[in-house]
Amino acid sequence: MPYAARTAKQETVPELFGSMVFNEREMKTRLSSDVFQAAHRAIHQGTPLTREQTDAIASAMKDWALEHGATHFTHWFQPMTSVTAEKHDGFIEPGPDGTVIMEFNGKELIKGEPDASSFPSGGLRATFEARGYTAWDPSSLAFIKDRTLCIPTAFCSYDGSALDKKTPLLRSMEALVKQAMRILKLFGNTTATCVRSNVGPEQEYFLVDREMYLKRKDLRFCGRTLFGARPPKGQELEDHYFGSIKPRVTAYMEDLNRELWKLGILAKTEHNEVAPSQHELAPIYTTTNIATDHNQLMMEIMKKVARRHGLVCLLHEKPFAGVNGSGKHNNWSIATDDGVNLLSPGETPFQNAQFLLFLVAVIEAVDTYQDLLRLSVATAGNDHRLGANEAPPAVVSIFLGDELTAILEALESDSAYNAAKRTQMKLGVDVLPRFTRDSTDRNRTSPFAFTGNKFEFHMLGSSNSIACANIMLNAAVAAVLEKYADVLEDTADFNDALHDLLRDAIVSHKRIIFNGNGYDSEWIKEATQIRGLHNLRTTPDCMPKLLEPLNADMLIHQGIFTRPEIESRCEIMLENYCKSVIIEANTMIDMVHQEILPAVLAYSGSLAQTAQAKTALDLGAACGLEKKLLRDLSSLAMQIDAAVDDLEDALMQVKAAQDVLEQSALIRDLLLPRMAMLRAPADKAETLVGSGFWPYPTYGDLLFGV
Ligand code: ADP
Ligand code: MG
């Protein structure tokens, strides 16, 4: 059916779902059975394809894309910026007699060579060697967006160094498979051929009116407000969370869902969040690299669809001071290809022993590599959230729930598992107790919470690519599983060895388990002073930890990064941090000079005129209010002026820094505090200046204006 005819009628959800994806259903009808089998293996097992097979797949892909209205194709990749990249090429080739033909072959499918000199490489690629190349990831399906066939790819430099987030993610998944399979063999599993990590990311966002948005340079340039007095009503009534959804937002969500379904994204759950005009969308979980691609696409489509509704979707972690910011919950589990979730307590004690091994491995991984998890979510934006009593603190800890904690305690002390008083808690496979599956409470104050059959990593910022967190998580767990496999493969009595191994791991790493309230300041004290956990509050605090031997050696050993890649990533992340805060500081200075001071002066001028007019009418004694306001505003204007001078001064110092490490520290210690000092008198002035004079929509307008 031609494209136009297909879109004319309103399709049902099953018809719509995946209609813009070159999925296996399409492949099956368009490829010979041999080539389809090969494609299937490439998607699910990573088996390489021959040149003839890729040519056949490319040709079928092109026919499908043309039938769906595509005119261009692109290798779609995830450089070290926060967004995805694409460079479109037309399918056209010159034909006979001034005509064109539509061409696309296997070579173009598997490899691209974008001139990529302007993407961040952290020194990995000198600009004179600008070429990078993109390589097809067959496991993530091609799709059509804006009449362009998008081919998910990894992005590398010419010597094969990763310049993107997908390459190390795929490497981390491989590392995890390798080690998890060794463990499964030890437990006698002969049916699983592969292990996958699965992720379901819950995405928070704000919607604001586009007209209002356009009036604010801070939102346009930085994605967050840099000024703004608190509105009379905020989120204190908690009447927004799960509240009924406004018609304009409902229309947006419906439109968004349809666009996402067309792209094969399993958009499932939507609701209002805690802050006014804040919402959440969660898809059904899927394989990590696909979930990552889908989350990137989802963020892009969220913004695009908002435009059609006269809205803007804000994905910044902290668009409004004093109002909850937005994060992303990374629900993570590992499962075998025959469908066994390794983080799910099983039916038999034997399965439970295997479950306990994986559970303890995650605990050890999170404790040993706390700083890697922390830095995997570090951005200037997320620094505003973590530890601000709305998101987990910057201290990483694990919530397990009481029952599992009691089981681990019993294991540790070789004592009876008390709650059930059933059995001696020795991990001989035949004596481990059965325990109920969904025994955990929800704990949203915990950075890393076990929720029955998966872990929820709560620290991600709303605009973070989920690749970074999952790279570190997969790598850390792979490293611990490797250590366990090395020990267990080499023992006479598996059960005894397993028992000793788990007991020792619990003793060494139980400090990371905390079932209490993560927002409590007492906890931060206990965590840092008694338990010795890291409290890495800002990006400049945590990013250098990437280079520490314990971390770097593990990542290199697991094959996730080379040493130059690690160094480049540290550099890029700090550079991103510096650039984004410097843009904010520049925007503040611009707003103060161009808009805020002129507004204060204009309003003061009108007060002075009123006072003058009153005096001329012999009402000089009645000018008390004008005088008082004038005095207050003059004083504020002077404070603003002095503070903006100080900020400009700080900016000069920041720009003169020798390297990015020094620069990021100056930003943390000098620039950000001065930005706060400028904001305070400006926000105070906003509350005194008449609304007709104030140049921007207020917090109240923005938060309640949709
Ligand atoms: P909430 O946390 O809002 O109560 P859920 O925890 O049920 O909601 O689900 C949130 C996300 O977790 C969804 O994306 C869901 O698909 C995902 N999820 C559920 N089970 C798993 C699992 N075994 N592995 C990874 N993600 C999962
Ligand atoms: Mg959840």
Side-chain angles (χ1 to χ4, degrees):
M1 203 189 298
Y3 176 68
R6 284 174 66 106
T7 50
K9 74 172 177 37
Q10 180 78 296
E11 287 153 309
T12 64
V13 176
E15 280 170 341
L16 200 68
F17 190 82
S19 58
M20 286 299 183
V21 180
F22 189 60
N23 52 25
E24 288 189 70
R25 188 185 54 206
E26 287 295 336
M27 291 180 206
K28 203 168 196 166
T29 61
R30 290 168 188 270
L31 296 170
S32 71
S33 132
D34 284 359
V35 178
F36 172 72
Q37 290 305 328
H40 179 83
R41 282 193 302 273
I43 293 168
H44 297 282
Q45 288 146 34
T47 320
L49 293 158
T50 65
R51 181 63 201 268
E52 289 70 33
Q53 288 163 344
T54 47
D55 274 337
I57 294 170
S59 169
M61 208 185 254
K62 178 198 72 181
D63 292 344
W64 169 81
L66 294 178
E67 284 167 32
H68 288 72
T71 55
H72 287 68
F73 68 92
T74 181
H75 278 198
W76 182 78
F77 58 101
Q78 299 169 29
M80 293 297 296
T81 60
S82 57
V83 288
T84 54
E86 45 195 79
K87 175 186 152 207
H88 299 182
D89 276 304
F91 288 115
I92 53 167
E93 291 292 339
D97 309 324
T99 59
V100 291
I101 49 172
M102 302 302 257
E103 277 296 350
F104 183 59
N105 60 36
K107 196 164 151 259
E108 290 167 305
L109 169 62
I110 58 178
K111 188 167 169 186
E113 291 188 23
D115 171 18
S117 51
S118 298
F119 292 112
S121 78
L124 265 185
R125 181 200 44 201
T127 26
F128 59 83
E129 261 191 288
R131 284 190 307 176
Y133 70 90
T134 48
W136 180 34
D137 168 14
S139 68
S140 183
L141 300 171
F143 57 91
I144 295 173
K145 175 169 74 73
D146 300 332
R147 296 189 169 254
T148 300
L149 171 67
C150 298
I151 300 152
T153 55
F155 177 45
C156 301
S157 76
Y158 239 78
D159 68 358
S161 299
L163 295 173
D164 68 348
K165 298 176 182 169
K166 172 168 251 184
T167 308
L169 180 65
L170 293 171
R171 291 173 183 164
S172 76
M173 291 166 69
E174 259 171 51
L176 188 62
V177 176
K178 190 168 152 203
Q179 303 307 334
M181 288 303 295
R182 287 175 68 193
I183 299 289
L184 290 181
K185 285 221 174 65
L186 286 167
F187 280 93
N189 185 321
T190 51
T191 52
T193 58
C194 179
V195 167
R196 276 198 206 94
S197 62
N198 289 315
V199 168
E202 303 165 56
Q203 176 75 48
E204 292 179 341
Y205 61 99
F206 279 88
L207 288 177
V208 296
D209 183 81
R210 187 169 164 78
E211 291 295 315
M212 294 188 201
Y213 165 91
L214 289 174
K215 293 194 179 117
R216 294 197 61 125
K217 285 185 189 167
D218 47 6
L219 284 180
R220 274 165 52 217
F221 298 153
C222 312
R224 74 171 179 116
T225 56
L226 300 167
F227 296 101
R230 305 289 145 90
K233 176 180 194 268
Q235 64 190 45
E236 50 280 272
L237 293 178
E238 290 171 348
D239 51 357
H240 193 255
Y241 192 53
F242 286 9
S244 81
I245 302 174
K246 289 179 184 163
R248 195 169 167 198
V249 176
T250 304
Y252 167 78
M253 287 177 170
E254 275 173 17
D255 200 1
L256 175 62
N257 283 335
R258 293 184 76 80
E259 292 300 328
L260 294 174
W261 291 334
K262 278 191 217 166
L263 292 169
I265 297 174
L266 292 154
K268 169 103 173 150
T269 310
E270 58 201 19
H271 59 81
N272 285 352
E273 260 299 330
V274 174
S277 84
Q278 191 186 30
H279 313 281
E280 180 182 299
L281 176 58
I284 299 172
Y285 70 94
T286 179
T287 314
T288 304
N289 66 319
I290 295 165
T292 304
D293 286 358
H294 281 179
N295 185 249
Q296 290 300 124
L297 258 180
M298 186 159 140
M299 292 193 283
E300 180 184 331
I301 307 286
M302 284 173 135
K303 290 185 183 166
K304 197 180 285 172
V305 171
R307 247 193 117 115
R308 285 191 217 148
H309 293 258
L311 298 166
V312 173
C313 172
L314 300 178
L315 291 174
H316 194 283
E317 282 74 19
K318 195 71 182 173
F320 305 101
V323 173
N324 272 12
S326 300
K328 190 140 54 186
H329 289 175
N330 190 81
N331 293 270
W332 177 91
S333 66
I334 28 182
T336 63
D337 57 348
D338 48 4
V340 178
N341 179 351
L342 300 172
L343 294 178
S344 192
E347 293 298 317
T348 65
F350 186 76
Q351 288 166 335
N352 279 341
Q354 180 179 298
F355 159 73
L356 280 177
L357 180 145
F358 281 100
L359 181 80
V360 171
V362 175
I363 294 168
E364 177 164 347
V366 173
D367 183 40
T368 310
Y369 303 104
Q370 316 158 30
D371 41 356
L372 284 183
L373 289 177
R374 167 65 185 94
L375 70 86
S376 75
V377 301
T379 59
N382 214 16
D383 284 357
H384 294 290
R385 261 180 87 239
L386 297 176
N389 277 1
E390 55 167 273
V395 179
V396 177
S397 66
I398 296 182
F399 170 87
L400 274 190
D402 292 337
E403 187 171 6
L404 268 185
T405 306
I407 288 174
L408 294 192
E409 275 164 5
L411 234 176
E412 180 194 346
S413 59
D414 282 347
S415 63
Y417 167 51
N418 214 354
K421 283 219 166 52
R422 277 185 298 216
T423 172
Q424 179 70 19
M425 187 65 195
K426 183 138 168 75
L427 199 108
V429 285
D430 41 15
V431 288
L432 188 74
R434 286 180 60 170
F435 43 93
T436 43
R437 202 175 147 271
D438 212 352
S439 56
T440 57
D441 288 333
R442 285 295 148 97
N443 187 327
R444 290 181 179 277
T445 69
S446 174
F448 205 90
F450 184 71
T451 49
N453 61 354
K454 64 188 190 310
F455 280 98
E456 291 195 33
F457 186 24
H458 286 159
M459 290 172 91
L460 287 78
S462 45
S463 68
N464 284 158
S465 161
I466 63 170
C468 306
N470 288 296
I471 291 167
M472 296 308 176
L473 196 49
N474 289 341
V477 173
V480 175
L481 291 178
E482 177 178 22
K483 195 179 110 180
Y484 289 4
D486 286 348
V487 171
L488 296 174
E489 278 170 357
D490 206 22
T491 53
D493 186 329
F494 177 71
N495 288 340
D496 270 356
L498 178 61
H499 180 263
D500 291 350
L501 177 100
L502 294 188
R503 189 196 51 220
D504 294 349
I506 294 165
V507 172
S508 306
H509 300 287
K510 65 180 178 186
R511 64 171 185 166
I512 197 83
I513 298 167
F514 175 64
N515 293 328
N517 177 5
Y519 296 171
D520 191 347
S521 59
E522 284 304 310
W523 158 239
I524 305 300
K525 239 189 267 165
E526 179 187 330
T528 51
Q529 291 169 12
I530 299 170
R531 302 198 190 197
L533 300 176
H534 290 299
N535 184 15
L536 302 166
R537 308 221 20 215
T538 67
T539 304
D541 295 331
C542 60
M543 208 44 79
K545 300 273 178 200
L546 184 56
L547 306 175
E548 286 193 350
L550 174 78
N551 294 328
D553 292 349
M554 181 279 279
L555 291 167
I556 293 166
H557 178 72
Q558 291 304 321
I560 316 299
F561 293 121
T562 61
R563 198 169 295 278
E565 285 172 349
I566 290 179
E567 285 161 6
S568 87
R569 258 149 229 260
C570 183
E571 177 101 9
I572 292 170
M573 299 313 289
L574 284 172
E575 231 172 61
N576 287 347
Y577 171 85
C578 294
K579 283 182 187 161
S580 51
V581 186
I582 290 172
I583 292 171
E584 290 182 351
N586 280 325
T587 305
M588 283 186 104
I589 293 168
D590 184 275
M591 288 170 80
V592 164
H593 286 316
Q594 303 284 317
E595 294 158 340
I596 292 179
L597 280 178
V600 175
L601 296 179
Y603 185 59
S604 302
S606 106
L607 289 171
Q609 267 179 9
T610 311
Q612 243 173 12
K614 280 188 181 175
T615 313
L617 293 171
D618 265 351
L619 293 169
C623 291
L625 174 63
E626 288 84 353
K627 284 185 186 161
K628 179 177 177 299
L629 268 172
L630 264 171
R631 251 195 318 272
D632 289 351
L633 285 173
S634 307
S635 154
L636 285 171
M638 266 148 56
Q639 289 173 43
I640 293 171
D641 185 53
V644 83
D645 281 351
D646 285 349
L647 181 58
E648 281 176 322
D649 191 58
L651 206 46
M652 301 265 282
Q653 291 183 55
V654 163
K655 285 180 180 163
Q658 296 295 316
D659 58 43
V660 69
L661 199 61
E662 185 193 329
Q663 187 170 64
S664 63
L666 277 171
I667 286 176
R668 176 194 58 203
D669 301 335
L670 190 67
L671 199 66
L672 283 165
R674 295 223 178 148
M675 285 163 63
M677 271 151 67
L678 173 57
R679 179 175 179 151
D683 287 359
K684 179 81 189 139
E686 183 189 322
T687 64
L688 298 182
V689 171
S691 66
F693 286 81
W694 198 250
Y696 316 119
T698 62
Y699 268 30
D701 298 333
L702 287 163
L703 288 166
F704 298 96
V706 171

